[in-house]
Amino acid sequence: MSNKLISQMGLPPSLSHVFAARSIITAKDALSLPEFDLMALLDVPLAHARSAVARISEIACPPYQTALSLMEDRAGSGGHLPTMLRGLDDALCGGIPFGALTELVGPPGIGKTQFCLKLSLLATLPACYGGLNGRVIYIDTESKFSSRRMIEIGENSFPQIFRSEGLAPKMAGRIIVMRPTSLSDFTDSLQQMKLSLLQHEVKLLIVDSMAALVSGENERSEGGPGRHPLRSSLSFLKSLAEFSRIPVVVTNQVRSQSKDEAYYHTFQEERKDNCQNSEKFESHLIAALGIQWAHAVTVRLVFEAHSGQKFIKVAKSPMSPAIAFPFIVESSGISLLSDEGIDVTGPEINTIRNQGQNILSQ
Amino acid sequence: MEIANLPISASQRSKLLSAGYATLSSLSSLSPSHLARDLNIELQEALEILKVVSDAADRSKSTDGHHQALKGVQTAWDMLSEEQMQQHITTGCEDLDHILRGGIHCGEVTEVGGVPGIGKTQLGIQLAVNVQIPVEYGGHGGQAVYIDTEGSFMVERAHQIAEGCINGILDNFTDHDRKILACQEWMQPNSFLSNIFYFRICSYTEQIAVTNYLEKFLKEHKDVKIVVIDSVTFHFRQDFDDLACRTRILSGMSLKLMKLAKTNNLAVVLLNQVTTKYTEGSFHLTLALGDSWSHSCTNRIILYWNANERYAYIDKSPSLPSASAPYSVTSKGIRNSTSHCKRVRMM
């Protein structure tokens, strides 16, 4: 909408010629200027400039919908990719939501990639088995995608399909793996993808992992004038998810928390020292991409390990309270030990723990 | 006052100057036909110039202190009675309403910020639902505009919250009345949803456009009592290299929103994200968009974690003391803190 041409907005011809002469071509050009500057630049009376701005705004503004019609639209296009983990599906009202960004964050080796592999399988399954019967684009930045492991997961979770019908090649053939080597590479392929998503019936986009693309990038530069390299791909991913109505899943790494990491507002100063210190020792991991990234994801699932078990935690979701499920990784992929979640409260929701994962003791 | 400051186009200004008219006083006693001949312009155009001049002259005269002559001013006494009439939109959480003296203020711009997952969007949806509670039940029977810049508005969740709100109203009645009420049309969650106007904004240009367009939209939809922008930050943090330009656009936008809030007596709620800021040797959380932006909202509420509970803190308000209150996000929406009872799980 922001690139709509002013010449086609039905302004009085004299005015629209002046816009063209001053090379104010799109709505974006016109609306970025204050009314007075616009008046001076166009050399027209203020009233004309005002009415032109009002007209341009009206046209550049996307149409509204009532929430009711929005709900009817969404009901038609389906809403969720079931993870086949019953407890998690219940908590998320059916699974990974369409049209939104879902983030998996956790320490290395905990099972994020396993989860992604399972999701890609599920998206390719025929609808009669609860899948989406579509293609999957898997952007593998860490070279961790393993076809063999994926087939193994498939054979063990859906033996009836994979053994008797011999669908394995067909399923695997629907998963397109991309291996960009740099951030610019990645942004390029995203741009190309825009069209192909709809043409090829892509039903799931996975980026594993997002953080690898920007590792070494200091989060603190975010507040400063420096342009954060992720910003553009972030909003692009979101719009991709929304307009193609597909789920987009990205994984995120963890990094150690530095001492001066901010967790408090200035008015909370006094509390900082006395009560939170004990907790700080435990939770020394934080998500690698910074707080701005965390704002942008719609659903955040934290994978963590403590008290000798691994947990999937719904840390941010507009639909669900914070809730954690113990899980194990087995030959059929991730499975929950219990479909009854454990309620999580307070700052624990956002901590990422990685303890008691000693393999020898198990 | 000088000609240079008049809101007229550059060519007219240069014509005036070249004809020797440099100050307002030189123009004030002029007849339109005289001016038209002097500047060699149409009579109509001359009339327009003189109109602008007399407006400006009125304005500069009135600033001299003749207080009866001031247009559009109020005495503090008048404002007091107006303030007492001020309407509030309940947040659904009594503790929070209490520190806000009734809820989110109509006629003002309120900014709400907090860490990811604290419940900003939840509060936004809750307010869009609560504004529709009919007047008989202590609400406003209004409509809501929800401007979604992030794509985080979940319509299923709005449905849940509307249901929670309806059940909350029904709880005040006996079984018999309840049955009658429940049949009425406005008591359906879907009718609540049909009163939320949803704009999906995909770039900052569209965000400016929608702010400009709202003026017209609100004239056509007089019942709108709240405008929620979720979030005001997102696009302005994405694609801006020129920070000066960003500040200018943002302050222009906030002025327009303030004007909308005042003229239509509606509440404007801006949701904001947090960022980290280095002050006095340590990093702190602070709301995004920088220092000059923090001046532009009338009220500012920060949502944060305090141990195991969610708290809301009034960071800035011209009329309310700083205070904080716990709240919780339940399946029914924003409610009082439920630290004592077990949280109900949503299905």
Side-chain angles (χ1 to χ4, degrees):
Chain A
M1 297 278 182
S2 62
N3 290 324
K4 276 204 173 166
L5 297 178
I6 287 177
S7 54
Q8 291 165 9
M9 288 188 178
L11 291 174
S14 58
L15 204 55
S16 106
H17 292 151
V18 180
F19 270 105
R22 293 288 177 272
S23 69
I24 300 176
I25 309 296
T26 63
K28 185 176 179 174
D29 301 335
L31 293 178
S32 304
L33 290 169
E35 278 166 7
F36 260 61
D37 287 10
L38 198 63
M39 177 196 84
L41 196 61
L42 298 181
D43 193 8
V44 295
L46 185 60
H48 290 199
R50 281 218 174 112
S51 70
V53 167
R55 175 86 188 140
I56 294 168
S57 298
E58 190 178 343
I59 292 178
C61 175
Y64 72 89
Q65 266 187 306
T66 66
L68 187 62
S69 69
L70 190 70
M71 189 165 74
E72 282 155 4
D73 283 3
R74 297 230 169 133
S77 63
H80 297 93
L81 166 62
T83 61
M84 303 280 176
L85 304 172
R86 204 170 57 85
L88 190 63
D89 282 347
D90 285 348
L92 294 175
C93 289
I96 308 290
F98 283 15
L101 211 56
T102 302
E103 182 195 28
L104 314 175
V105 54
I110 190 131
K112 299 186 296 293
T113 302
Q114 302 294 319
F115 193 75
C116 291
L117 290 176
K118 181 86 173 271
L119 283 180
S120 6
L121 264 183
L122 287 169
T124 57
L125 278 188
C128 55
Y129 293 103
L132 298 176
N133 199 18
R135 282 172 202 271
V136 175
I137 294 185
Y138 197 109
I139 302 180
D140 180 24
T141 60
E142 292 174 334
S143 299
K144 285 194 305 201
F145 184 88
S146 155
S147 305
R148 189 189 293 163
R149 173 65 181 141
M150 196 188 62
I151 304 285
E152 189 191 8
I153 293 177
E155 282 175 347
N156 286 302
S157 12
F158 312 101
Q160 69 282 27
I161 312 173
F162 273 78
R163 291 199 182 129
S164 56
E165 296 185 34
L167 275 173
K170 197 179 158 203
M171 300 284 103
R174 284 178 165 177
I175 299 174
I176 302 154
V177 182
M178 288 165 106
R179 293 205 159 133
T181 47
S182 68
L183 187 60
S184 57
D185 214 9
F186 170 72
T187 351
D188 289 348
S189 45
L190 271 188
Q191 300 287 351
Q192 290 168 9
M193 218 178 279
K194 213 170 169 181
L195 284 175
S196 53
L197 279 184
L198 283 174
Q199 284 167 359
H200 299 293
E201 290 188 6
V202 173
K203 290 289 163 99
L204 175 67
L205 172 65
I206 293 180
V207 185
D208 180 22
S209 76
M210 201 67 194
L213 290 168
V214 275
S215 52
E217 204 61 47
N218 193 348
E219 185 213 334
R220 246 171 260 151
S221 65
E222 177 196 325
R227 205 178 140 87
H228 200 280
L230 268 183
R231 284 184 196 176
S232 53
S233 35
L234 174 60
S235 54
F236 192 75
L237 271 179
K238 285 194 83 150
S239 61
L240 210 60
E242 197 165 343
F243 294 107
S244 335
R245 295 292 309 157
I246 58 166
V248 173
V249 177
V250 298
T251 66
N252 191 353
Q253 302 166 338
V254 293
R255 63 175 173 79
S256 332
Q257 178 186 332
S258 48
K259 243 190 294 170
D260 46 10
E261 208 69 56
Y263 275 104
Y264 304 94
H265 294 280
T266 33
F267 59 83
Q268 280 180 279
E269 193 81 78
E270 324 83 60
R271 300 192 187 97
K272 183 176 172 179
D273 299 321
N274 41 40
C275 73
Q276 306 280 359
N277 259 353
S278 54
E279 242 165 294
K280 261 203 158 171
F281 282 113
E282 254 190 304
S283 60
H284 53 281
L285 291 176
I286 59 165
L289 302 171
I291 199 161
Q292 186 185 0
W293 173 264
H295 272 297
V297 298
T298 311
V299 177
R300 171 176 258 191
L301 301 178
V302 169
F303 287 63
E304 61 171 358
H306 60 87
S307 349
Q309 267 184 325
K310 295 180 176 181
F311 291 89
I312 299 184
K313 188 163 68 180
V314 183
K316 181 188 179 191
S317 155
M319 305 299 297
S320 162
I323 194 169
F325 301 94
F327 74 94
I328 49 168
V329 180
E330 25 171 57
S331 56
S332 64
I334 283 179
S335 60
L336 298 186
L337 292 173
S338 139
D339 288 323
E340 279 302 307
I342 305 158
D343 283 334
V344 194
T345 50
E348 244 179 80
I349 292 174
N350 283 309
T351 57
I352 303 164
R353 285 179 282 183
N354 188 19
Q355 301 168 330
Q357 235 201 323
N358 194 341
I359 297 156
L360 292 176
S361 71
Q362 277 174 3
Chain B
M1 194 175 167
E2 307 236 338
I3 297 288
N5 298 329
L6 282 182
I8 52 176
S9 66
S11 60
Q12 288 171 345
R13 187 177 306 140
S14 65
K15 278 178 193 160
L16 280 173
L17 288 173
S18 58
Y21 298 105
T23 60
L24 280 191
S25 49
S26 63
L27 279 168
S28 54
S29 55
L30 227 53
S31 75
S33 54
H34 190 173
L35 185 67
R37 201 177 57 233
D38 262 10
L39 301 190
N40 195 16
I41 53 177
E42 297 283 317
L43 187 62
Q44 188 58 36
E45 211 177 337
L47 260 171
E48 273 168 24
I49 293 179
L50 285 179
K51 194 166 166 289
V52 172
V53 168
S54 72
D55 283 353
D58 282 351
R59 228 176 302 138
S60 66
K61 212 180 287 167
S62 57
T63 47
D64 293 345
H66 303 288
H67 117 100
Q68 292 89 344
L70 288 183
K71 255 189 256 165
V73 295
Q74 280 178 306
T75 64
W77 183 253
D78 294 339
M79 285 175 76
L80 177 68
S81 59
E82 203 168 272
E83 266 169 39
Q84 281 162 347
M85 297 288 289
Q86 195 178 40
Q87 296 176 318
H88 302 280
I89 299 166
T90 168
T91 58
C93 164
E94 284 158 27
D95 292 338
L96 186 51
D97 283 350
H98 178 71
I99 60 165
L100 289 168
R101 305 249 170 93
I104 301 293
H105 299 214
C106 285
E108 290 180 11
V109 178
T110 305
E111 182 186 23
V112 178
V115 292
I118 190 82
K120 300 182 293 294
T121 302
Q122 304 288 323
L123 184 61
I125 298 176
Q126 181 76 54
L127 289 168
V129 167
N130 282 352
V131 74
Q132 301 178 40
I133 300 173
V135 182
E136 309 87 89
Y137 304 97
H140 303 286
Q143 294 177 316
V145 170
Y146 199 99
I147 299 172
D148 185 10
T149 63
E150 297 190 9
S152 54
F153 180 81
M154 289 272 158
V155 66
E156 297 91 347
R157 180 66 180 141
H159 192 272
Q160 268 181 352
I161 290 179
E163 255 173 1
C165 174
I166 290 169
N167 290 332
I169 298 174
L170 288 180
D171 282 347
N172 297 328
F173 293 92
T174 58
D175 281 344
H176 177 70
D177 292 339
R178 214 179 281 182
K179 274 187 196 125
I180 303 173
L181 272 176
C183 300
Q184 287 178 13
E185 200 191 337
W186 67 264
M187 289 300 276
Q188 307 306 318
N190 282 356
S191 94
F192 273 76
L193 292 187
S194 67
N195 282 323
I196 299 177
F197 302 111
Y198 173 84
F199 288 87
R200 176 73 177 98
I201 299 299
C202 299
S203 70
Y204 76 88
T205 317
E206 289 182 17
Q207 198 169 332
I208 303 168
V210 77
T211 340
N212 291 338
Y213 172 61
L214 269 181
E215 198 176 337
K216 188 174 173 204
F217 182 85
L218 292 174
K219 270 187 198 128
E220 290 159 7
H221 298 83
K222 293 268 185 207
D223 282 338
V224 172
K225 280 278 157 223
I226 191 167
V227 174
V228 180
I229 304 187
D230 177 15
S231 69
V232 74
T233 332
F234 185 67
H235 296 300
F236 287 94
R237 283 180 95 180
Q238 308 294 328
D239 30 33
F240 259 99
D241 292 323
D242 182 358
L243 284 182
C245 171
R246 181 177 99 164
T247 308
R248 204 194 57 223
I249 290 179
L250 277 171
S251 64
M253 207 167 70
S254 77
L255 282 178
K256 269 177 206 143
L257 290 171
M258 237 180 258
K259 194 176 151 208
L260 280 179
K262 269 273 172 291
T263 50
N264 299 288
N265 191 28
L266 52 80
V268 175
V269 175
L270 310 177
L271 306 184
N272 194 355
Q273 306 178 338
V274 295
T275 185
T276 49
K277 187 186 174 191
Y278 187 78
T279 40
E280 293 164 23
S282 60
F283 283 92
H284 282 290
L285 289 180
T286 182
L287 299 197
L289 296 181
D291 288 328
S292 50
W293 168 258
S294 23
H295 291 281
S296 56
C297 293
T298 318
N299 303 295
R300 176 173 252 194
I301 300 171
I302 295 179
L303 309 178
Y304 65 101
W305 286 108
N306 183 11
N308 281 337
E309 281 182 286
R310 296 165 204 258
Y311 270 71
Y313 172 80
I314 302 181
D315 186 45
K316 175 186 161 187
S317 161
S319 58
L320 303 170
S322 289
S324 55
Y327 70 97
S328 68
V329 180
T330 70
S331 57
K332 293 185 216 127
I334 306 274
R335 291 293 182 268
N336 267 342
S337 172
T338 52
S339 51
H340 318 294
C341 42
K342 197 176 176 298
R343 208 162 4 162
V344 194
R345 237 187 87 193
M346 263 179 277
M347 295 305 286

